[in-house]
Amino acid sequence: MDTLIDIGVLKECTPTSYNLDGHWITGMIEYSEWEHIRLCLGIPFYNELVLQVNTQTLTIDNQTFYDSFLKSCVAWFVLYESAFFIHTRAENKGVTQNTDDKSVEASGNTVGAYKKTALKHAESRREQMLKYLNDNKTLYPLFDTADTDCKQSGRCGYHYSLYFPKKSNY
């Protein structure tokens, strides 16, 4: 599937090693966009941007938006979603931690703090991005504020809320 960023943009926009093997991350790019960006932009605007990015036909306004807000926002959400999987991986002998002869393994607490910081950066960038879009609605006619449903939890959409039914008398 086509996405808004690739591994190169992730490495450009976040503190990620250029030695990071991209095949560990590629699937998380699509997941992160669908989970954190697509509904926030509105599906028609998201689809337009994906098409224009992948065909290298971004309009001037969309290029400004992409360079100034979107690619960084997506990159930080990808880093947030993939941090655990960079640290660990599933193998035939179970879940293992990635190790290297020249590096020291980060603890689970450090990875958790890393993820929390990445999420904070991503949500801040998403907030700035949505403010820019709302302030410039005439430049982005496909941006649909009615579709915008970004929750503080870092998830977009209504399907992450809890439902508590009324207590019955019986």
Side-chain angles (χ1 to χ4, degrees), residues 120-168:
K120 182 179 172 186
H121 282 281
E123 288 178 335
S124 172
R125 282 168 171 74
R126 183 173 59 195
E127 222 174 272
Q128 294 167 6
M129 176 183 78
L130 292 173
K131 181 181 180 336
Y132 173 81
L133 288 172
N134 282 311
D135 291 347
N136 296 281
K137 287 178 189 174
T138 57
L139 299 176
Y140 305 99
L142 291 181
F143 172 62
D144 185 1
T145 55
D147 280 347
T148 303
D149 189 18
C150 297
K151 305 293 185 206
Q152 290 295 328
S153 68
R155 302 286 190 214
C156 290
Y158 64 89
H159 53 279
Y160 287 97
S161 57
L162 295 174
Y163 171 70
F164 295 99
K166 286 179 155 181
K167 289 185 179 181
S168 65

Side-chain angles (χ1 to χ4, degrees), residues 10 20 24-25 28 32 76-89 98 105-106 110-116 118-119:
L10 174 70
L20 180 67
W24 294 103
I25 308 289
M28 298 310 292
S32 298
W76 279 98
F77 274 117
V78 171
L79 186 61
Y80 163 71
E81 291 291 355
S82 60
F84 179 76
F85 300 103
I86 294 169
H87 182 65
T88 60
R89 67 177 175 245
N98 296 326
E105 190 66 34
T110 301
V111 173
Y114 187 79
K115 281 189 68 162
K116 186 177 179 180
L119 180 60

Side-chain angles (χ1 to χ4, degrees), residues 3-5 9 41 44-71 139-140 142:
T3 57
L4 293 168
I5 69 166
V9 173
L41 296 177
F45 187 40
Y46 172 80
N47 288 340
E48 175 187 66
L49 289 166
V50 168
L51 176 66
Q52 289 181 8
V53 165
N54 287 282
T55 58
Q56 299 178 352
T57 57
L58 281 165
T59 64
I60 292 171
D61 292 332
N62 285 353
Q63 185 74 56
T64 300
F65 170 66
Y66 181 79
D67 290 339
S68 301
F69 299 97
L70 186 58
K71 72 179 183 179
L139 299 176
Y140 305 99
L142 291 181

